[in-house]
Amino acid sequence: MNKIVETTIEADPKLPIIRLTRDFAATPAQLLRAHTDPEIFVQWSGPDSLTNTIDYWDARTGGSWRYVARRGDEEYAFRGTFHEVGPERIVQTFTFEGQPEGVALETLWFEDLGDGRTRLHAQSLVDSFEGRDAWLRSGMEVGVNEGYAKLERLATEHKI
């Protein structure tokens, strides 16, 4: 099995879905914790130029979350609900408050590759092809790649 060391970002040609795939030197339990523990999440999520602050965070099936990313005087708020939080999968909604009509349904799952490595799969189903393409044009790959690099460092430094 080939290792995926950079994040693969794919747009589905038939559905308004974005799929992400990346391998980590971490166990599924570590990646689950990184996505559900707010103190860890704020350390890795998003581009290096932003800092995150949690407004509220209830990482359980039926819970909700909101955080704010800041760069100087700029603020970007995100919110959603956890529909399912389990050991191998997270299903949640994701909304950028700057575009509150654009709610995405996100599913993340953790494929155990053995030897302390996990392949993270994530997909975001958005409301339209236009919305999906706007995400892709937004520079999201910078935040995804820089964020996942930080997550990899946290895992290899045994901080999760």
Side-chain angles (χ1 to χ4, degrees):
M1 180 179 291
N2 293 333
K3 291 182 181 179
I4 301 170
V5 292
E6 293 295 319
T7 306
T8 302
I9 301 173
E10 299 175 319
D12 189 298
K14 296 181 181 178
L15 298 169
I17 290 178
I18 298 170
R19 291 189 177 92
L20 308 175
T21 310
R22 189 181 191 283
D23 291 357
F24 288 91
T27 64
Q30 287 175 300
L31 290 184
L32 176 68
R33 184 168 176 229
H35 284 85
T36 57
D37 182 323
E39 292 179 15
I40 296 170
F41 181 83
V42 296
Q43 294 179 54
W44 68 265
S45 182
D48 296 341
S49 63
L50 296 175
T51 57
N52 300 315
T53 305
I54 299 294
D55 186 16
Y56 53 88
W57 194 273
D58 184 11
R60 62 175 175 82
T61 299
S64 60
W65 57 270
R66 182 177 188 270
Y67 73 93
V68 179
R70 292 181 175 82
R71 178 189 306 114
D73 293 335
E74 300 172 37
E75 286 191 354
Y76 307 94
F78 304 90
R79 62 182 160 83
T81 57
F82 289 105
H83 290 261
E84 176 188 334
V85 177
E88 298 172 357
R89 185 170 97 146
I90 299 170
V91 180
Q92 65 185 11
T93 58
F94 178 92
T95 301
F96 167 50
E97 291 184 359
Q99 295 177 309
E101 69 286 350
V103 179
L105 179 62
E106 295 189 334
T107 305
L108 295 87
W109 62 100
F110 311 108
E111 178 186 353
D112 190 343
L113 301 176
D115 296 325
R117 296 197 57 82
T118 302
R119 180 163 294 158
L120 170 67
H121 300 272
Q123 74 176 25
S124 296
L125 173 63
V126 298
D127 61 338
S128 67
F129 286 99
E130 295 79 18
R132 181 202 65 193
D133 294 345
W135 277 31
L136 293 170
R137 286 191 308 270
S138 73
M140 68 172 272
E141 71 280 355
V142 173
V144 167
N145 285 311
E146 289 181 359
Y148 283 167
K150 289 182 282 190
L151 177 52
E152 180 79 17
R153 280 193 302 275
L154 288 171
T156 58
E157 294 170 2
H158 307 289
K159 295 182 178 177
I160 52 173

